[in-house]
Amino acid sequence: MNRTVILQGSSRSNGDTNKIVSYIANHTNFDIIDLSTKNIGHYDYNYKNENDDFLPLITDVINKYDTIIFATPVYWYSMSGIHKVFFDRISDLIRIHKDTGRKLRGKNMAMISTSNHDDLKTGFTMPFIESANYLGMNYLGDVHAYVENNAINNEVKNRLHQFVETIKKAI
């Protein structure tokens, strides 16, 4: 299959994270899913939100793609709330939809972080790396990108191209 999807998780569908994601998509055949357009409820131990968009979305992603790239702005030194809710909901796949969750094993994960500066703090990538490890996924790496004056500079473009090449070599 070797198809790749970028799950964009930003409060602004057309913000800086989207500029970075769109730049990558324009140079690849990677699909984009904007999580802010989905109704994904917070994790609930009683599974009262099982009729929201999470299960159909993750099932579709698992069935269609081998590589999942999470694209998130840096919010308070961490992933966006949208991504945190999405990651929390993966617990549904561990607890009640185990057959679906097991299909994540062997798939690839990567991460794109974005901000206004080249100042990603140590430890930001840990939840992504450890989640991939826990789920039996292959963590392919990550890249930090930033937008200055509403533009992507050449240094960041080079980083993004290197990131894409790393992803392509792995798949």
Side-chain angles (χ1 to χ4, degrees), residues 124-140:
F124 183 87
T125 59
M126 188 273 298
F128 299 93
I129 294 167
E130 293 304 323
S131 295
N133 289 338
Y134 184 79
L135 296 167
M137 299 176 75
N138 306 309
Y139 192 74
L140 303 180

Side-chain angles (χ1 to χ4, degrees), residues 50 55 91-102:
E50 67 182 335
L55 190 59
S91 296
D92 291 2
L93 304 181
I94 296 167
R95 296 178 57 110
I96 60 172
H97 299 286
K98 294 177 183 180
D99 289 339
T100 302
R102 287 183 186 111

Side-chain angles (χ1 to χ4, degrees), residues 24-38:
I24 290 172
N26 287 335
H27 292 85
T28 65
N29 60 351
F30 300 171
D31 292 337
I32 301 170
I33 296 173
D34 181 359
L35 294 179
S36 72
T37 66
K38 306 298 180 186

